[in-house]
Amino acid sequence: MFIIRCLSRCRIKKHCCLSLGTNESVTTRQRQGQINNNTQHVHSAARILTLAAQRRTMSSGHPSTICLADYDAYGFDLDHTLAKYKLVEVFNLTYSCITDFLVDKKGYDASIKSDLFKYKEFICKGLFLDMEKGHILKIADDGKILRATHGTRALETAEVQAAYGEDQIWKHAETVKKTVKNSNTTFRFFENYFDTPGLVAMARIIDIEEKKIKDSKSTKRIDYTLIWGDVLDSLVHIYTYHNFALETGGFFPTLKKNPNKYVEKCSDDIKKWLRSLKQDGRCVFLLTSSFSDFGSCLLETILGDDWESYFDINIFYARKPSFFTDGHAFQRIEKHSVKEPTKNLVKGGFYYRGNERELTKFIATLTGKENPKIVYFGDNICADCFPSKMYADWDTVLLLEEMDAEGYACDDGTVQQEDEPSQKKRRRGIEHSSLVTHEEMEYLISDVWGPFLYHGPEGASDKVMNTLWGSVISQYSDITVPSLEYLAGVPLDHKFESFGAKSDATGGFHPGKPASLL
């Protein structure tokens, strides 16, 4: 039996109170997801579906078990994967930067700067913004609209039917499930905790603009697409990677001054685990969409001054998912300056952009394996798991912070449960690690939208994973875990059950099902 160690740095506070997608890094994916939004995920839906047809069918895409000792190379995302953010601090910083920009640069009402906690229900990953209607949607696996608001106002069933038809089916659901891609003009999904504060700002602006029209009895129509464009501009403004060096945009300068306020240090268990992965000639690589200056700052904070010794190669600003599809050349990075393109990748090197094919060649040379077996760890199903599995045929491990927030069962034999007074309270055998605080639980568990993976009666005895994102997770991640801290406590040769072929399969959750599915 193996124990998940509760870290001594637990920051739990005893009060009932009760955070653009990146993950990659805020910087990253937001740069990615946002800066990239205008051309987001450069590959078209048609290209994705063509490549998907060329790949193995996903019904056979999961090995029956995952054993980490069997791999030749291990790749890691940075933000929300290696770097565990103190989410409430990051949410408040991000929202402050967003609203400062919207008020000061775009002229929106200063009341949007109100306390983020009041609107925390919209710090909710996986929601969709209908840009044309100003509606915010939670979508089921079968495309049905499970819940909807206009701004922060809940919509009645009749209103949803008037907007989307009697069957309440959202017509873009199947395309999203197949392409895992945002639309430039029609909808936006919020895939990580760097962009969800932007959804809060969007909802608040809609509320304020609607009230102005109502109070003035105006017949003016609100252009929600234009509002979203302004919110997107705010995200691009704060997350553009040049801001770290220039100390502009609010987000990077603040984090740079006091990184320990916003990110957790890796435990000794994680450090030992990372070093164990490099044994026997195996490769460990960093693949992040954060730029090298910000990434190095984070890595030094979480791993220490010797952080470079943990990785055989370091790839920054990878612009996932395009790293897997577009064939961009690698460019050397020297002292955080981008240099000439190169195909000569060297051990310990720092690189900008690049592509999966050249990286795989490097790994093959380093490990002496003609077809190296690779597994990738990331927090973002859209930018980490989907492209690495679909285009590179890597195996994937998803880190899902919602699991720790709502709790999970410990029934796969990897965790020894201890009866300690300091342990967080148990609900029907549900466990939380000390990595998640009560404040974070308050933000990540939404009473308005319900669980990320499930929609239905809480006390149902026959629960199935029935949300759109639940389906995507079971299809494109082989296993899903709450944190690297958990994996560091499990022997490398343990065999994890993976997700099966069904869209509602739950066998790949470890150390057990999330509480919402029990």
Side-chain angles (χ1 to χ4, degrees), residues 203-434:
R204 289 290 295 122
I205 291 171
I206 292 172
D207 290 348
I208 292 166
E209 295 301 312
E210 294 284 2
K211 186 176 185 302
K212 286 180 180 178
I213 287 178
K214 182 178 179 180
D215 291 348
S216 65
K217 298 180 181 179
S218 171
T219 58
K220 177 184 174 182
R221 296 190 57 152
I222 298 174
D223 190 331
Y224 303 107
T225 303
L226 286 179
I227 297 174
W228 169 245
D230 290 339
V231 175
L232 179 61
D233 285 348
S234 75
L235 292 167
V236 173
H237 171 74
I238 68 174
Y239 291 131
T240 297
Y241 79 84
H242 300 290
N243 289 343
F244 187 86
L246 298 174
E247 298 195 347
T248 55
F251 180 86
F252 288 121
T254 303
L255 195 147
K256 185 178 183 179
K257 288 178 183 176
N258 188 7
N260 288 298
K261 180 179 179 180
Y262 298 99
V263 68
E264 298 274 11
K265 292 182 182 296
C266 287
S267 69
D268 288 341
D269 288 340
I270 290 179
K271 292 178 180 180
K272 291 176 183 176
W273 180 73
L274 287 172
R275 292 204 184 280
S276 74
L277 299 180
K278 294 184 73 174
Q279 295 176 359
D280 301 322
R282 295 180 298 219
C283 173
V284 176
F285 63 93
L286 177 71
L287 179 64
T288 173
S289 289
S290 290
F291 192 60
S292 62
D293 51 5
F294 176 63
S296 296
C297 175
L298 284 184
L299 288 159
E300 184 175 335
T301 302
I302 65 176
L303 289 173
D305 294 341
D306 63 344
W307 70 264
E308 293 180 40
S309 66
Y310 289 89
F311 307 103
D312 292 298
I313 190 169
N314 309 280
I315 302 163
F316 296 96
Y317 203 56
R319 298 296 293 271
K320 296 172 289 181
S322 64
F323 179 85
F324 297 94
T325 60
D326 291 356
H328 193 282
F330 280 95
Q331 292 176 258
R332 285 194 315 110
I333 295 176
E334 185 177 306
K335 295 181 180 179
H336 307 310
S337 177
V338 179
K339 302 299 183 180
E340 75 283 353
T342 181
K343 288 191 175 183
N344 182 29
L345 304 182
V346 298
K347 186 174 181 179
F350 279 42
Y351 298 97
Y352 170 90
R353 298 292 298 271
N355 63 85
E356 174 265 328
R357 289 184 181 180
E358 294 296 325
L359 174 61
T360 300
K361 289 180 182 178
F362 167 82
I363 293 171
T365 300
L366 184 69
T367 61
K369 300 295 180 65
E370 183 177 355
N371 295 299
K373 188 176 181 182
I374 302 171
V375 61
Y376 188 65
F377 301 79
D379 72 290
N380 191 310
I381 190 67
C382 309
D384 295 330
C385 294
F386 169 75
S388 59
K389 178 161 285 292
M390 178 64 76
Y391 305 127
D393 207 17
W394 294 354
D395 288 337
T396 55
V397 177
L398 176 68
L399 278 68
L400 189 64
E401 289 174 292
E402 287 81 0
M403 280 186 69
D404 220 353
E406 66 180 55
Y408 44 80
C410 293
D411 56 10
D412 69 351
T414 59
V415 176
Q416 179 177 322
Q417 299 185 34
E418 298 177 329
D419 294 323
E420 296 180 2
S422 61
Q423 213 173 21
K424 291 187 181 149
K425 67 178 182 179
R426 295 177 180 172
R427 297 173 291 117
R428 297 173 298 149
I430 302 305
E431 300 288 342
H432 303 267
S433 79
S434 61

